[in-house]
Amino acid sequence: MSAIPTTEIAKRLDAIRTEMAASRLDAFIIPRADEYLGEYVPEHNERLLWATGFTGSAGMAIVMKDTAAIFVDGRYTVQVRDQVAQSLYAYESLTDTPQPQYLAETLGEGARVGFDARMHTLAWYEQAKAVLEKAGIELVAVSENPVDKHWQQRPIPEAKQVMLFSDASAGKTSLEKRREIGVLVKKAGGDLALITALDSISWLLNIRGFDVPRLPVVLGSALLWQDGRMQLFVDTAKIPDGFHQHVGEGVTVAAEANLEAELKALGGKKLLADPASSNAWGQLIARDAGAKLLAVLDVAALPKAAKNDSELKGMRECHIRDGVAVSRFLAWLDAEVAGGRLYDEGELADKLESFRLEDPLYREPSFDTISAAGANAAMCHYNHNNGTPARLTMNSIYLVDSGAQYLDGTTDVTRTLAIGEVTDEHKKMVTLVLKGHIALDKARFPKGTTGQQLDAFARQYLWQHGFDYDHGTGHGVGHFLSVHEGPQRIAKNSNGVALLPGMVVSNEPGYYRADGFGIRIENLIVVRHCDALKGAERETYEFDALTLIPIDTRLIEKALLSAEEVSWLNDYHAKVYATLSPLMSGDELAWLKQATQAI
């Protein structure tokens, strides 16, 4: 069960229902998201956890007069039963049971459903409103969130000082960036843009922050005008001396509470906003005040994703140091297994971080390490912190997916490792995954190609044997920013964003056999011009691997690889050895030499 007693959760539900009754609400919706709608939620905004006891990273609760339901995806079907009492909440599927439809079928005509407009996108609001109106149900924005009203001992966020990120590392000054993005605002027909993506704000101002775990950003929002002026709405206690000199002219700072008045003053203005990522609250206020909303993708997203030379220099340098840290961990792990010393998943994750901690530029993990022994790796987003960490067992495979935030860049790597002897089936499946990884790494593609068009490169060999995996093949990665950066991605689902030089994406095909094992091989790769086809009929791009860490050849069935694939692997390992060996010594260097030997 949850660390929060069921009796306490029951009291909290009673408090929510008291507020619902006072506002004549028949239901209230509590998403995992907070007002910033980012992937990571700081402790003081964990409203779903407060109301349910559920600690997962995705979910939604609906509280009604006499009943309640919690919606989670397939990653959390076991965990939700461990943490949330069935006597208080029914278990529903987040993906298979659309919540507006659930409400339409559960509540009668004339019902009123409360929601906090800060916690949902405008796109969600418009869609939910349409479904509920059809059923004769009203969607009501509450003025005060009942969770916030009754959350006793709510953690008080610390006003951590904003970090001034060097212009040299960023490659451009804030003023240069803001003026360039201002031109894009004008081109899109807007007077100004609402910027709510936390990483976009940090990127535009050349700042970083420490308000959110795993993501070096500052909580806040901003308005960016077409002339490059920017209004930042943030806890002003976080602004350090020298901030205004650092960001340059045209930046004003005000408390977050001031945003509402600024939005209400936009009557007649054309406001760019992303309905799929910005909260409904701000857009509805502006629209009600007479502003014209223009629905566009976050205007900073593409320029941020296409890294400049300075940003790529930092990314390359941090990947070399990260390669050394992870390789040292792998060398240690092999020696421990050979000595019969087997650890649990938590101990292994901590040991891996201990090597990264030796780097003075290391700040924190870029996400919670997925340290998965044996069958646990079959859950592709497994988190050993959600239960009792399992111990390695001999003659199995171990998957570790980890990443780091360094002052000069962000890393993300997955390796699948042999623990003792492995089966022919293990080798076959790892090799099929590796073949897909190589095919994507080697891809050449014309300008205008999207990640969706390349996704099948990584799946083709699994498909030929009747296998697949249920996650995307690649996500964007920021520069000392979000490890999951848009707008580009490599996946089956529709994504019309063309890959551009400078974009960093992951290459991470996998395979997962329920109750058996899980496999993933992940490198970060950067899009670059294909010099070998310079002057060709079409402008052509290719990938270059940033990650330099050995791939476990004990898990590879060489007979399943083509000569070209064997050459790729040997060339990759030769590059890993040439790059990392000057930075390693002793037994660790001996391990690296063995691990990168040609097959």
Side-chain angles (χ1 to χ4, degrees):
M1 271 296 156
S2 161
I4 307 169
T6 300
T7 51
E8 178 60 29
I9 298 294
K11 282 183 198 170
R12 294 175 183 182
L13 274 173
D14 287 343
I16 293 169
R17 288 181 173 128
T18 299
E19 294 300 321
M20 286 166 50
S23 302
R24 296 185 300 108
L25 297 175
D26 299 283
F28 183 72
I29 302 170
I30 308 168
R32 165 86 196 320
D34 66 0
E35 49 267 51
Y36 305 101
L37 299 180
E39 180 181 0
Y40 299 106
V41 177
E43 186 186 20
H44 69 278
N45 283 345
E46 289 274 17
R47 295 175 177 91
L48 183 65
L49 169 58
W50 182 87
T52 65
F54 176 64
T55 62
S57 64
M60 182 178 283
I62 294 177
V63 180
M64 291 162 286
K65 287 179 177 177
D66 303 310
T67 59
I70 183 165
F71 298 75
V72 300
D73 63 33
R75 292 174 290 170
Y76 296 116
T77 50
V78 174
Q79 183 182 328
V80 74
R81 284 167 168 76
D82 288 341
Q83 294 185 325
V84 182
Q86 195 168 11
S87 58
L88 299 178
Y89 285 93
Y91 309 131
E92 298 286 349
S93 168
L94 187 65
T95 47
D96 299 339
T97 310
Q99 292 80 60
Q101 194 59 45
Y102 172 88
L103 285 161
E105 292 170 3
T106 305
L107 301 174
E109 190 173 347
R112 287 162 49 88
V113 173
F115 79 110
D116 187 334
R118 296 169 191 262
M119 314 294 153
H120 303 268
T121 65
L122 183 67
W124 176 91
Y125 165 75
E126 301 284 15
Q127 187 265 338
K129 186 168 177 260
V131 170
L132 294 174
E133 276 182 353
K134 199 172 175 184
I137 296 171
E138 186 183 358
L139 190 57
V140 181
V142 299
S143 56
E144 186 175 10
N145 192 310
V147 172
D148 296 358
K149 195 168 180 181
H150 290 276
W151 191 342
Q152 308 293 328
Q153 287 87 48
R154 184 176 181 180
I156 298 169
E158 190 183 337
K160 295 178 181 174
Q161 290 279 286
V162 164
M163 173 190 155
L164 305 180
F165 188 63
S166 99
D167 290 345
S169 296
K172 285 181 182 174
T173 67
S174 170
L175 184 58
E176 287 172 322
K177 289 180 181 179
R178 287 183 282 109
R179 285 179 173 164
E180 285 175 13
I181 305 305
V183 170
L184 298 180
V185 172
K186 188 174 183 177
K187 272 187 183 173
D191 295 302
L192 73 164
L194 175 63
I195 310 285
T196 58
L198 300 176
D199 57 338
S200 291
I201 294 168
S202 291
W203 179 82
L204 275 164
L205 292 170
N206 283 354
I207 59 174
R208 298 295 187 266
F210 307 99
D211 294 346
V212 181
R214 315 306 186 218
L215 180 63
V217 296
V218 185
L219 295 178
S221 51
L223 294 171
L224 179 73
W225 296 78
Q226 60 174 232
D227 62 2
R229 285 182 295 121
M230 188 164 168
Q231 295 164 274
L232 174 65
F233 302 92
V234 68
D235 179 352
T236 55
K238 296 174 185 172
I239 301 300
D241 293 339
F243 173 84
H244 288 285
Q245 295 93 315
H246 175 72
V247 297
E249 65 182 69
V251 177
T252 58
V253 179
E256 286 191 84
N258 292 31
L259 175 61
E260 184 171 359
E262 291 296 330
L263 293 170
K264 285 180 175 175
L266 293 179
K269 299 292 186 191
K270 294 173 184 168
L271 176 67
L272 304 185
D274 187 346
S277 67
S278 288
N279 71 41
W281 174 84
Q283 292 170 85
L284 292 173
I285 286 174
R287 190 166 73 186
D288 291 347
K292 182 180 180 185
L293 291 182
L294 300 179
V296 297
L297 181 75
D298 172 8
V299 281
L302 266 178
K304 171 168 55 67
K307 313 285 182 287
N308 60 43
D309 289 345
S310 297
E311 292 170 319
L312 288 176
K313 179 174 181 285
M315 292 293 273
R316 290 186 186 282
E317 288 175 356
C318 78
H319 274 85
I320 292 170
R321 300 194 313 277
D322 200 59
V324 171
V326 177
S327 295
R328 290 180 63 206
F329 165 75
L330 297 178
W332 170 84
L333 179 59
D334 268 4
E336 294 300 292
V337 171
R341 295 178 293 277
L342 301 178
Y343 299 85
D344 73 37
E345 297 159 333
E347 292 167 331
L348 293 169
D350 291 344
K351 184 66 178 181
L352 172 53
E353 190 183 16
S354 74
F355 289 106
R356 286 180 166 134
L357 279 162
E358 294 180 31
D359 187 332
L361 299 184
Y362 175 75
R363 285 298 171 266
E364 65 177 334
S366 54
F367 57 94
D368 290 338
T369 297
I370 298 171
S371 174
N376 286 340
M379 297 178 272
C380 61
H381 293 101
Y382 174 73
N383 188 332
H384 61 269
N385 292 317
N386 291 336
T388 303
R391 190 166 291 276
L392 288 181
T393 55
M394 288 303 292
N395 306 328
S396 68
I397 55 179
Y398 168 59
L399 183 151
V400 58
D401 183 354
S402 70
Q405 294 288 7
Y406 296 99
L407 288 178
D408 53 351
T410 302
T411 71
D412 180 2
V413 56
T414 309
R415 289 294 181 262
T416 305
L417 308 164
I419 306 299
E421 297 298 316
V422 291
T423 67
D424 289 343
E425 184 68 5
H426 286 146
K427 290 183 180 181
K428 172 188 168 184
M429 299 313 303
V430 169
T431 308
L432 293 177
V433 170
L434 176 63
K435 286 169 75 71
H437 180 99
I438 294 171
L440 183 59
D441 182 273
K442 288 170 59 65
R444 291 173 173 176
F445 48 95
K447 180 181 178 179
T449 301
T450 68
Q452 184 185 6
Q453 292 169 299
L454 295 179
D455 181 73
F457 280 51
R459 298 179 192 269
Q460 58 182 311
Y461 300 102
L462 287 164
W463 284 354
Q464 297 309 311
H465 291 260
F467 302 115
D468 200 3
Y469 51 93
D470 294 326
H471 59 74
T473 300
H475 55 83
V477 177
H479 174 236
F480 186 35
L481 276 173
S482 177
V483 76
H484 296 136
E485 179 181 80
Q488 80 284 5
R489 64 195 309 258
I490 301 173
K492 287 181 182 180
N493 60 315
S494 181
N495 182 308
V497 178
L499 296 171
L500 297 170
M503 283 183 170
V504 174
V505 291
S506 62
N507 172 5
E508 52 178 308
Y511 173 71
Y512 310 90
R513 184 165 294 173
D515 303 319
F517 55 88
I519 297 158
R520 192 157 60 252
I521 300 171
E522 176 187 20
N523 283 352
L524 296 192
I525 52 180
V526 61
V527 182
R528 68 179 181 186
H529 292 276
C530 179
D531 285 342
L533 294 178
K534 204 169 186 177
E537 182 181 297
R538 300 282 177 95
E539 188 175 343
T540 304
Y541 302 148
E542 64 182 359
F543 294 117
D544 183 36
L546 296 176
T547 305
L548 296 170
I549 296 167
I551 294 166
D552 194 342
T553 55
R554 296 169 299 185
L555 280 162
I556 293 166
E557 184 55 68
K558 185 178 177 181
L560 293 177
L561 295 177
S562 68
E564 193 177 16
E565 289 165 338
V566 170
S567 291
W568 180 94
L569 184 62
N570 290 338
D571 290 347
Y572 176 75
H573 276 153
K575 184 179 179 183
V576 170
Y577 184 77
T579 308
L580 303 189
S581 59
L583 304 171
M584 296 174 71
S585 61
D587 291 344
E588 293 170 343
L589 178 59
W591 176 90
L592 182 71
K593 188 169 187 178
Q594 173 68 30
T596 56
Q597 275 190 340
I599 63 167

